[in-house]
């Protein structure tokens, strides 16, 4: 019973504010004809007609594919480069000015350059996601690798752990809380950059569809696309929470044990 009650309270916290905002939207727009803020029933009708149709395969699935490819590339590049820089202080000091310069560049600014180099296809859109989402993973990985406990590192040396074995059994587990934190931050950035990339010289995707609806004054359809993006982000956050609880279960257990819980 306690678990059910705790689950009900958690669900109420999770859905309480979104439900309140939706109810407020419905109360404000009910019975009135706002051009740019249509009633919820119009948006709901447009949502079903728009996205439960051919647009699911033409726009939604390509967007999710680009997001998955770009996010995966950012995570792999960020972890690999972060482990390398975190474990080699001299290399980190040498590359830090260039990394700080590149990190300061807003990824949307690079879109015209990437269009010249990679064209206007999926390669450009995936590259935009990678160039923006890699930084939280990279910086958190560097910090996590640098924060490996010295006693654990000395113990690993005493047991002869070197190379790949040391990386697999010491460095990555010790840095995993920081890495997962960076991955969570990168997920929201990747979703934003997915939409921005599709708004430039694209012929498919959620960002492309929303811009087309806006230009054609299809306001309910435009809002339905925005709501769909919100649902996609919410669903990805829930999935990442499950991934995080599975990967960092040992860490949370250790932290609770230290607190005496």
């Amino acid at each position: 019973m306690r678990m059910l009650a705790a689950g009900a309270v958690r669900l109420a916290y999770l859905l309480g504010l979104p439900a309140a905002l939706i109810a407020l939207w419905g109360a404000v727009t009910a019975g009135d004809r706002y051009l740019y803020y249509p009633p919820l029933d119009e948006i709901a009708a447009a949502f079903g007609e728009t996205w439960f149709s051919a647009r699911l395969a033409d726009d939604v699935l390509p967007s999710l594919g680009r997001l998955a490819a770009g996010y995966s590339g950012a995570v792999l590049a960020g972890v690999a480069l972060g482990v390398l820089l975190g474990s080699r202080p001299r290399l980190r000091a040498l590359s830090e000015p260039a990394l700080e310069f590149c990190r300061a560049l807003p990824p949307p600014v690079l879109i015209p350059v990437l269009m010249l180099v990679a064209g206007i296809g999926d390669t450009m859109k995936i590259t935009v996601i990678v160039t923006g989402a890699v930084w939280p993973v990279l910086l958190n990985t560097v910090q996590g690798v640098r924060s490996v406990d010295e006693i654990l590192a000395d113990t690993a040396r005493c047991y002869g752990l070197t190379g790949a074995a040391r990386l697999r059994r010491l460095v990555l587990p010790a840095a995993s809380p920081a890495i997962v934190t960076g991955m969570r931050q990168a997920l929201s950035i990747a979703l934003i950059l997915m939409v921005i990339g599709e708004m430039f010289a694209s012929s498919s995707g959620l960002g492309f569809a929303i811009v087309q609806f806006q230009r054609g004054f299809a306001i309910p359809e435009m809002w339905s696309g925005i709501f769909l993006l919100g649902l996609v982000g919410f669903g990805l956050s829930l999935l990442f929470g499950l991934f995080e609880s599975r990967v960092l279960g040992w860490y949370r257990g250790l932290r609770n044990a230290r607190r005496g819980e």
Side-chain angles (χ1 to χ4, degrees), residues 137-230:
V137 183
L138 171 60
L139 297 178
N140 278 275
T141 302
V142 170
Q143 185 61 35
V145 173
R146 293 180 62 189
S147 301
V148 173
D149 191 276
E150 289 295 333
I151 296 177
L152 293 178
D154 291 338
T155 304
R157 280 192 292 269
C158 292
Y159 279 96
L161 285 179
T162 58
R166 184 179 185 275
L167 178 65
R168 185 176 68 254
R169 296 183 180 275
L170 173 64
V171 176
L172 289 180
S176 59
I179 294 174
V180 172
T181 300
M183 290 173 61
R184 177 176 283 279
Q185 296 170 353
L187 183 60
S188 60
I189 295 175
L191 183 61
I192 294 171
L193 293 177
M194 177 202 76
V195 178
I196 294 176
E198 291 173 348
M199 289 179 174
F200 286 85
S202 182
S203 59
S204 66
L206 285 170
F208 167 78
I210 291 173
V211 169
Q212 292 301 307
F213 290 142
Q214 180 265 333
R215 291 174 177 172
F217 283 91
I219 304 302
E221 288 77 7
M222 180 192 73
W223 278 108
S224 72
I226 295 173
F227 283 177
L228 178 59
L229 278 174

Side-chain angles (χ1 to χ4, degrees), residues 73-90:
V75 170
L76 292 175
V79 171
L81 188 57
V83 169
L84 179 64
L85 296 178
S87 57
R88 287 170 170 77
R90 292 183 179 179

